[in-house]
Amino acid sequence: MGLFDKFRKGLEKSREAVFGRLGRLFQGRKLDESLYEEMEEVLISADVGVETSLWLVERVRRLAREQRVTEAEQLTPLLQQAMEEALAENDPAMRTAASGPTLYLFVGVNGVGKTTTIGKLAHRYMQEGKKVLLAAGDTFRAAAIDQLVAWGERAGCDVVRHVQGADPAAVVYDAMMAAKSRGADIILCDTAGRLHNKANLMAELAKIRKVAARELPDAPHEVLLVVDGTTGQNAIQQAQAFKEVVQVTGLVVTKLDGTAKGGVVLPIVREQGISVKWVGLGEGLDDLEPFSAEWFAEAICRPDHV
Amino acid sequence: MLEGLSNSLQKALSKLRAKGKLAEEDVQTAMREVRLALLAADVNVKVVKQFVDRVRERAVGQEVQQSLTPGQQVVKIVYEELTDLMGGAEERVRMAAKPPTVVLLVGLQGAGKTTAAAKLALSFRKHQHRPLLVAADVYRPAAIQQLQVLGKQIDVPVFTLGTDANPVEIARQGREEAIRQGADVLIIDTAGRLHIDEQLMDELSDMKAAVPPDEILLVVDAMTGQDAVHVAESFHQRLQITGVILTKLDGDTRGGAALTVRAATGCPIKFVGLGEKIEPLEVFHPDRLASRILGMGDVLSLIEKAQETFDLEKAKEMEQKLRTAQFTLDDFREQLQQVRNLGPLDQILKMLPGVGRLKALENIQVDEKKFLHIDAIISSMTKEERANPSVMNASRRRRVALGSGVTVREVNQVLNQFEQMQQMMKRLTGGKKLGRRNALAALKSLGGLGDLSSGLNVPQVGTPTGASRRPHRKKKKH
């Protein structure tokens, strides 16, 4: 199965449940104001958010005027184009260290799938022949360390860990030392889930970041915010808060398959200027894929029967 | 919780509050803003539509137009409809006639089922039940360990058969174990699953058939977006859930899920979870939450909390001391302790009517450490100093600062506050009436609140003193 087909399959439910509604909406309808209004509503109900929904509809309206579109059915490619524009700034490439180990830091609120994401990425990098080291920086949640160790076993890489309640910055420090001496290429650092409005927990993250930056030049090379694809508009607040404290450089959107609508990807990229790097399209070990704006827009907009 | 929605709704309604007469236009504008506020809070599109239509219909109706304060009347309608939307009255857990009562927790991945299971167990224990936790999540790595660790923390037994067993079998044997142990509540933690995953949903149905549960509670992340409706609907269709636990409500989520889930399934929200610390789940009160959302405070919950934690005897003793002006630093510390027992102060503050609307208190971060400092400062004083702070000269202040690891300035602050408070007490007991301004100052210096202004990250009020100070986040404008 090609990568694009994987995208299509992963986003099947989003397409059917929400954007499929647009297709039906467009069918045999006249191009009038009420159509645009309904379109706006469908977008909002896909978690695209009020602001970006208005922006997209406005964009489609302009394109329709420019291209003298008269049939509602012809709006689908225009919406696809508008979405691509909204995601135009997105850059999925991952930064790596010029020399020495590369360090990626994973942050996010509770229960979004940080540890699982790290497990899948570790597997992916190991497959590419890189030497991966995991840092069990979630020293708060019960059994989080065991969870990461289980993933380490599956992927076949080492895990640096302390005990529950230890200082996560110290874990990250030890991981960097271990990576240097063992010649690891990539360090993936797990952190405890935290709600972004808890100042002291956010300060802890800033400290981890500081420790990383001190020991490795340019580290962390990416700070990835993991966001649950089912999250609504709160994802924007999350992105904002984490960006401020740990300078988030990219996004991982998990659970985008099946139920998730994932519309929140659009406002985050457009309004917050944070790039989506990876998307979780399934529950398997191989189901984490690099994000592609064009594919995302196409997979969501283009109906199945074409 | 829910500050975002609260702010935007209050903004939408504030223009109406003061109006003597309501033009239809005013109502229209307000309703448009209410609609956007609800949509931005992830309330389901359909639910919003119905809600706004109902409010609009009532707002232009007789009851409002004939009232003396139409603006207030609309606010009242919104309050009533909000309460109604969230389910009206609170709902308790249904207990089995013959124990054990079986509670099955289901939900998507990462909703917080395992944490909720432990918190629920704690809630039951608080009410003199003997819960048994059953670890039936055999899929997520280390999920069983997580429940075991939590169980140990709260001293509740956890039943497990490892990861190789069938979850249905685990539930069945768990029930037998409960009967053997004499546990009267069985809480089954299941694996997170997508509601469209047929195989895993079948597993839940089988579980339901094997150990008929008295409650099937759907655990929902309060940050869930528009999809919350579908999740709730499909779980309900498959399993006939009996209630909902809403988690992570302590974030800055606007909690659209709270307003949506009940409307979608007709199932009541029974509990809410605040925070990852294992504390009992809170019972969900729709009316109180509606009141909090509209900035009308939640004094009832505050009083209940106070009743639970305050020591009545001590309070009487304290009152006596206050009256006779024998209030010492020891008592001051005691009082602070009692306030702290209520829980995180920023959450307590939000329960006070009107506080949510205070600009200065927006986004406050109460520095709980400040309390520890005060405690340390007072502990570093001699008995004599505590009973009579007026002996505190510069050298004594220096000694106390060194002893408690703070600056002399902080010691001064505490002493000043205490002095203010004593003066106020004198005035109060002297029978003089306080002017509005003095009353406010008095209120501020009372107990924990006295230190609040300097313990908060509010630049307008407090002066920065510690390294723990952080600039508070900018609020997103709408």
Side-chain angles (χ1 to χ4, degrees):
Chain A
M1 188 163 62
L3 217 48
F4 176 65
D5 292 323
K6 215 164 169 180
F7 252 84
R8 273 191 80 80
K9 198 166 178 327
L11 293 169
E12 204 177 341
K13 290 288 159 187
S14 313
R15 186 167 58 244
E16 275 168 24
V18 194
F19 296 93
R21 275 175 57 194
L22 276 182
R24 280 193 294 280
L25 181 68
F26 293 159
Q27 232 155 51
R29 276 282 291 269
K30 271 225 316 261
L31 243 186
D32 56 13
E33 203 38 44
S34 72
L35 183 78
Y36 285 119
E37 244 165 58
E38 277 174 62
M39 187 169 155
E40 182 191 314
E41 214 151 80
V42 172
L43 287 172
I44 290 175
S45 67
D47 284 332
V48 176
V50 175
E51 222 172 289
T52 297
S53 295
L54 290 176
W55 186 88
L56 283 173
V57 171
E58 193 45 48
R59 207 52 214 127
V60 170
R61 203 195 310 250
R62 257 239 314 274
L63 288 169
R65 234 189 345 254
E66 280 168 16
Q67 302 179 12
R68 298 180 196 285
V69 167
T70 48
E71 301 291 319
E73 271 116 343
Q74 291 169 294
L75 288 183
T76 311
L78 300 188
L79 180 62
Q80 186 178 332
Q81 191 184 337
M83 276 188 190
E84 278 175 29
E85 281 172 27
L87 298 170
E89 301 287 300
N90 197 73
D91 171 21
M94 296 280 279
R95 223 153 59 91
T96 52
S99 66
T102 299
L103 186 142
Y104 298 144
L105 187 63
F106 292 81
V107 300
V109 303
N110 317 62
V112 291
K114 280 181 295 300
T115 311
T116 309
T117 299
I118 289 175
K120 289 180 178 177
L121 261 185
H123 172 73
R124 189 183 184 96
Y125 286 129
M126 292 293 282
Q127 296 278 316
E128 289 175 9
K130 299 208 171 84
K131 189 163 182 200
V132 182
L133 193 67
L134 306 183
D138 182 354
T139 55
F140 181 78
R141 180 165 62 87
I145 298 174
D146 299 321
Q147 193 181 343
L148 194 70
V149 169
W151 276 110
E153 275 164 19
R154 262 186 226 179
C157 53
D158 291 346
V159 180
V160 174
R161 57 165 158 170
H162 288 186
V163 291
Q164 202 188 336
D167 180 0
V171 180
V172 172
Y173 178 85
D174 281 358
M176 288 188 289
M177 293 303 116
K180 279 181 188 166
S181 67
R182 294 179 208 174
D185 304 305
I186 295 176
I187 313 167
L188 305 176
C189 301
D190 195 12
T191 61
R194 63 203 73 217
L195 290 174
H196 46 288
N197 58 346
K198 309 268 188 236
N200 50 346
L201 290 178
M202 292 303 271
E204 183 188 271
L205 268 192
K207 179 182 170 191
I208 296 175
R209 196 198 144 84
K210 218 166 65 196
V211 168
R214 203 173 53 208
E215 295 306 321
L216 277 180
D218 294 332
H221 300 89
E222 296 280 358
V223 180
L224 297 181
L225 172 66
V226 185
V227 171
D228 185 332
T230 37
T231 309
Q233 299 310 297
N234 192 248
I236 298 170
Q237 264 110 293
Q238 290 172 22
Q240 224 168 14
F242 278 100
K243 193 166 99 180
E244 217 163 279
V245 178
V246 279
Q247 294 91 51
V248 170
T249 57
L251 217 62
V252 181
V253 184
T254 59
K255 313 179 199 173
L256 207 54
D257 59 317
T259 154
K261 297 179 168 172
V264 80
V265 163
L266 289 156
I268 290 183
V269 174
R270 197 186 73 87
E271 292 167 32
Q272 298 292 318
I274 302 176
S275 289
V276 181
K277 306 274 183 187
W278 303 91
V279 284
L281 295 171
E283 291 180 65
L285 205 52
D286 301 308
D287 286 332
L288 194 72
E289 296 293 348
F291 181 74
S292 150
E294 295 87 65
W295 289 356
F296 178 80
E298 189 177 344
I300 273 182
C301 292
R302 208 180 63 184
D304 280 316
H305 50 80
V306 176
Chain B
M1 53 186 177
L2 306 187
E3 280 87 32
L5 177 60
S6 175
N7 287 342
S8 50
L9 267 187
Q10 284 174 44
K11 216 176 103 205
L13 293 173
S14 62
K15 288 168 210 146
L16 289 185
R17 271 183 213 262
K19 291 251 173 179
K21 216 170 185 160
L22 281 190
E24 205 172 324
E25 228 168 85
D26 297 331
V27 177
Q28 288 294 358
T29 321
M31 284 309 118
R32 209 166 19 243
E33 280 173 43
V34 167
R35 176 175 170 264
L36 284 180
L38 291 172
L39 281 177
D42 291 325
V43 182
N44 181 265
V45 175
K46 269 189 218 139
V47 175
V48 172
K49 220 174 198 164
Q50 284 167 7
F51 179 84
V52 172
D53 284 347
R54 254 206 313 272
V55 173
R56 186 186 291 129
E57 200 175 300
R58 286 183 59 186
V60 293
Q62 290 272 319
E63 63 177 314
V64 171
Q65 294 306 331
Q66 284 173 4
S67 119
L68 284 173
T69 51
Q72 292 287 357
Q73 203 66 21
V74 174
V75 176
K76 191 174 154 249
I77 293 172
V78 173
Y79 167 74
E80 283 169 6
E81 291 292 337
L82 264 183
T83 308
D84 199 47
L85 193 62
M86 291 186 286
E90 81 227 35
E91 297 254 1
R92 303 272 165 175
V93 168
R94 195 162 48 187
M95 301 300 285
K98 184 170 166 276
T101 300
V102 179
V103 182
L104 189 63
L105 297 182
V106 300
L108 299 179
Q109 289 101 332
K113 279 177 299 302
T114 308
T115 307
K119 288 182 172 188
L120 191 58
L122 204 57
S123 306
F124 276 117
R125 242 241 329 259
K126 210 172 100 192
H127 291 100
Q128 275 70 48
H129 288 290
R130 290 171 43 102
L132 173 69
L133 286 162
V134 177
D137 180 356
V138 297
Y139 304 105
R140 177 162 65 90
I144 295 177
Q145 280 103 308
Q146 188 184 351
L147 196 64
Q148 279 171 327
V149 172
L150 293 177
K152 214 174 197 171
Q153 264 174 33
I154 57 172
D155 200 22
V156 169
V158 176
F159 178 79
T160 158
L161 290 176
T163 52
D164 295 328
N166 178 336
V168 181
E169 194 50 37
I170 297 176
R172 204 193 321 261
Q173 290 197 27
R175 188 167 187 278
E176 280 162 23
E177 176 68 16
I179 295 169
R180 206 185 55 77
Q181 283 189 4
D184 59 355
V185 181
L186 193 68
I187 301 168
I188 307 175
D189 177 31
T190 63
R193 62 203 74 210
L194 289 175
H195 53 284
I196 51 163
D197 188 327
E198 286 299 324
Q199 209 183 335
L200 282 176
M201 291 304 273
D202 282 344
E203 183 188 285
L204 283 181
S205 301
D206 293 346
M207 246 183 198
K208 186 182 167 188
V211 261
D214 303 280
E215 289 274 5
I216 303 179
L217 299 178
L218 176 67
V219 182
V220 178
D221 183 336
M223 290 180 281
T224 313
Q226 295 280 339
D227 211 35
V229 172
H230 296 123
V231 175
E233 272 172 355
S234 17
F235 270 98
H236 191 47
Q237 255 166 29
R238 284 299 287 263
L239 300 164
Q240 290 83 49
I241 57 172
T242 59
V244 172
I245 299 177
L246 208 59
T247 61
K248 306 182 206 172
L249 211 57
D250 53 331
D252 61 357
T253 167
R254 301 192 179 168
L259 301 165
T260 300
V261 167
R262 154 83 207 200
T265 59
C267 289
I269 297 169
K270 297 206 169 171
F271 295 101
V272 291
L274 305 164
E276 213 181 353
K277 223 162 92 193
I278 304 300
E279 282 166 353
L281 286 174
E282 294 200 18
V283 174
F284 181 72
H285 303 280
D287 45 344
R288 298 183 193 178
L289 187 60
S291 160
R292 234 188 268 193
I293 288 177
L294 293 178
M296 289 152 38
D298 182 5
V299 180
L300 265 180
S301 290
L302 188 60
I303 292 171
E304 265 172 27
K305 258 195 176 254
Q307 277 171 342
E308 263 173 42
T309 50
F310 274 22
D311 187 333
L312 201 65
E313 288 291 309
K314 270 193 185 149
K316 274 190 183 148
E317 204 180 299
M318 198 75 78
E319 192 196 339
Q320 193 56 38
K321 278 183 175 164
L322 283 172
R323 283 190 184 289
T324 52
Q326 282 174 343
F327 194 70
T328 67
L329 272 168
D330 272 323
D331 301 321
F332 181 56
R333 180 167 59 173
E334 182 76 34
Q335 212 181 16
L336 280 184
Q337 193 51 48
Q338 295 235 1
V339 173
R340 280 192 65 196
N341 284 344
L342 280 177
L345 260 182
D346 41 2
Q347 282 178 30
I348 296 294
L349 272 176
K350 302 259 159 66
M351 293 185 188
L352 293 171
V355 167
R357 258 179 280 148
L358 289 180
K359 263 270 141 41
L361 291 179
E362 213 171 88
N363 270 339
I364 51 160
Q365 299 284 349
V366 177
D367 191 355
E368 301 274 340
K369 266 203 191 124
K370 198 86 192 176
F371 286 105
L372 290 179
H373 287 182
I374 297 176
D375 196 63
I377 289 169
I378 298 177
S379 298
S380 298
M381 296 181 182
T382 64
K383 236 181 176 170
E384 186 202 350
E385 286 164 349
R386 273 182 255 171
N388 182 17
S390 60
V391 301
M392 292 291 293
N393 57 23
S395 130
R396 283 179 193 256
R397 287 176 192 223
R398 226 173 7 251
R399 191 201 79 238
V400 168
L402 277 174
S404 53
V406 299
T407 59
V408 175
R409 223 175 102 211
E410 275 180 83
V411 176
N412 289 342
Q413 271 179 3
V414 172
L415 289 172
N416 284 343
Q417 270 160 15
F418 177 69
E419 202 183 325
Q420 275 171 17
M421 191 163 150
Q422 252 185 342
Q423 274 173 6
M424 177 198 80
M425 288 305 159
K426 266 186 204 141
R427 244 179 290 163
L428 273 180
T429 47
K432 264 188 231 150
K433 269 199 188 146
L434 290 169
R436 218 184 138 173
R437 237 180 125 156
N438 286 339
L440 193 69
L443 188 73
K444 267 184 149 182
S445 57
L446 243 180
L449 287 172
D451 194 59
L452 221 58
S453 51
S454 52
L456 304 172
N457 276 336
V458 186
Q460 305 97 296
V461 184
T463 42
T465 51
S468 61
R469 222 149 278 281
R470 248 159 271 113
H472 58 137
R473 240 174 292 125
K474 272 193 206 114
K475 243 291 30 115
K476 208 185 150 205
K477 289 246 160 65
H478 302 285

